Amino acid sequence: MTLELGSRIGDLLTDNLREIPDFPEPGVLFRDITPLLANGPAFAELIDRLADHYRGSIDAVAGLESRGFILAAPLAKALGIGMLTIRKAGKLPGPVIGVNYDLEYGSARMELRPDSVRNGDRVLILDDVLATGGTAAASAHLIRQAGGEVAGIAVLLELEGLGGRERLAGENVESALLV
């Protein structure tokens, strides 16, 4: 399902997205959102539209390392709510809770300071891209472990065919653009 933000958000992304073939390795087509971030009016409109969509339905927004931070901070400010940081292992001062998850070739770990989540908080998990869904699934687990409620998972771009949405079955997943 795509975010119900109208066609303008898709236009913002399409107009400000750069595709880089063979990055970070041969055969991969990387979608780069930095042109959107560099376009002040387009970035402001994106945040305004996200704020309008989520206003009143969330108590905190969790940004996923690292581009999710860039999106979550201004959204949290626009909504007057807190921002949580979910980081890769070893990057947050303790105490932290963590969860390991599998990648295509190996494993990774995401961590959260549990005291950053208030019991019962409705938390939106926000990131730039949904691919396999491992990072988002691990993040949802951490939010619940800390006592929060996952209000939804929102991404700018969803890469179809990589199984991310299927891995997040049962979660409210919204993407602004399917690619």
Side-chain angles (χ1 to χ4, degrees):
M1 136 180 209
T2 58
L3 287 172
E4 296 175 11
L5 300 174
S7 63
R8 181 63 184 138
I9 193 141
D11 292 343
L12 283 172
L13 290 168
T14 302
D15 293 347
N16 292 281
L17 190 66
R18 184 172 64 145
E19 294 184 340
I20 304 169
D22 299 320
F23 183 82
E25 58 187 55
V28 174
L29 179 61
F30 183 78
R31 272 79 173 198
D32 181 18
I33 66 163
T34 58
L36 172 64
L37 303 175
N39 180 338
F43 186 42
E45 185 176 344
L46 171 71
I47 297 304
D48 289 346
R49 288 179 177 271
L50 288 170
D52 289 346
H53 185 72
Y54 289 107
R55 186 168 280 109
S57 65
I58 60 174
D59 303 307
V61 58
L64 306 187
E65 188 169 341
S66 65
R67 287 179 297 262
F69 295 169
I70 297 167
L71 302 169
L75 178 58
K77 182 188 181 304
L79 293 173
I81 61 176
M83 182 202 152
L84 314 176
T85 55
I86 300 181
R87 303 214 53 194
K88 296 172 184 167
K91 302 233 178 148
L92 285 172
V96 298
I97 55 175
V99 64
N100 297 322
Y101 64 99
D102 292 327
L103 300 169
E104 188 175 357
Y105 301 104
S107 64
R109 181 175 178 85
M110 297 300 285
E111 295 179 337
L112 169 72
R113 287 189 51 93
D115 59 357
S116 64
V117 180
R118 292 183 314 233
N119 194 37
D121 271 355
R122 300 168 298 167
V123 180
L124 173 69
I125 296 170
L126 181 59
D127 206 4
D128 63 329
V129 175
L130 173 62
T132 65
T135 304
S139 299
H141 177 83
L142 289 171
I143 295 296
R144 289 187 177 101
Q145 185 179 348
E149 171 189 320
V150 177
I153 299 170
V155 296
L156 295 184
L157 305 169
E158 180 177 345
L159 306 180
E160 293 185 288
L162 295 180
R165 187 170 290 270
E166 291 78 19
R167 188 170 190 173
L168 298 169
E171 301 288 357
N172 176 25
V173 180
E174 296 183 294
S175 56
L177 187 64
L178 301 173
V179 292

